[in-house]
Every structure is written in C-alpha cells, then in structure tokens.
Amino acid sequence: MSAFRGGFTSTLRWPQLDALWGLLRADPGADWFIYAVGEGPPETPASAEELVRFIDEMDRFLRREHEEDYCGIVYADNLQQPTFIKIYDPHNLGVSCGYSNNPPLPGWVLSKLPPCDLPSTRVLPNNRRRWWRQLFG
C-alpha cells in the first residue's frame, strides 16, 4: 500500500505513454504483475507474452475510449525506470489527479511488487470484466 500511495508522474501526452510502453516492451520478462482492480490480485508475474498482449490491448483501449488529444490517465512512479504503474479507466476518472477526499482507484495496476487486494469502490462493468477475462481468461 505504501508503494500504491507513493509519488507518481502522469504520462500527460500520448508520446510519453508510447515511451513508457516502449520501456516495458524492451524487457517484457521483467516480472510484472498485471492487476485489474475488482478482480483478485495475481499471485504470479505475467509472462512476457501476457505483458506485451496487455500493453497492446490497453493501448488500443485507451486511445479508443479516452477521447482527448492528451493521455493523462496513466501514472508511473518513475517514467524512466518504472516499477509501479496505475492506469485509470477513462469512464471512471473522478478526480484522478489533484486533491480529493475520495479519489477513484485505478482500473489496472502494473507492478514489480505483488499487488494487494484493493477494495473496489465500484462494480466492474460487465464489458470490462469480459474484456479482462478474454485477455487473461
């Protein structure tokens, strides 16, 4: 939880997200855990193939669903050497940056640390649940 609550920097522009994905693609076997908040946390890191598939699908999803000319919904603890990444659902943003007494949880977490079960504050929509299960079912 301390890593989850730590400092994060946004990939404000799409090229910053491209660069972040590039770092992960350059070393896909680096033991990343992929966690969909609302599902049970994974017990083992994703395989290299699963990580690349997740990045490809998530990138398509974000560009399709986040109808803005900027990104701003993916945050990393370090944009040059990430170990923890939060990805917010474009349809459940609330106040994902700035101050809020009740900020939304990210939709997905990529982490080098095994994730803890985050208490989902909303029911995962069926279309997101189906998408996730098709990806990792």
Side-chain angles (χ1 to χ4, degrees):
M1 283 305 293
S2 62
F4 180 80
R5 292 186 177 126
F8 286 82
T9 303
S10 170
T11 57
L12 184 58
R13 303 280 173 218
W14 293 109
Q16 289 175 301
L17 180 62
D18 295 337
L20 181 64
W21 291 151
L23 291 171
L24 274 63
R25 283 187 177 108
D27 188 14
D31 291 337
W32 283 97
F33 289 87
I34 305 172
Y35 174 40
V37 176
E39 296 284 327
E43 296 179 8
T44 58
S47 69
E49 295 81 20
E50 289 171 330
L51 179 66
V52 170
R53 187 172 68 237
F54 174 80
I55 291 168
D56 291 344
E57 292 293 328
M58 182 56 66
D59 190 67
R60 278 192 287 275
F61 170 78
L62 292 175
R63 291 172 195 270
R64 181 181 66 241
E65 301 292 325
H66 188 54
E67 299 170 343
E68 303 291 345
D69 62 353
Y70 59 89
C71 178
I73 58 175
V74 178
Y75 292 76
D77 60 344
N78 182 316
L79 292 177
Q80 287 72 44
Q81 296 179 311
T83 62
F84 203 110
I85 299 168
K86 298 177 188 180
I87 305 168
Y88 287 86
D89 188 327
H91 298 286
N92 186 45
L93 292 177
V95 180
S96 58
C97 62
Y99 177 79
S100 172
N101 286 328
N102 191 23
L105 289 173
W108 303 271
V109 171
L110 293 172
S111 175
K112 297 277 190 129
L113 299 170
C116 62
D117 195 8
L118 295 172
S120 183
T121 57
R122 67 186 182 108
V123 176
L124 194 62
N126 284 334
N127 62 338
R128 297 284 189 276
R129 193 175 301 274
R130 279 191 302 274
W131 176 78
W132 179 254
R133 290 189 177 153
Q134 285 176 339
L135 196 57
F136 289 104

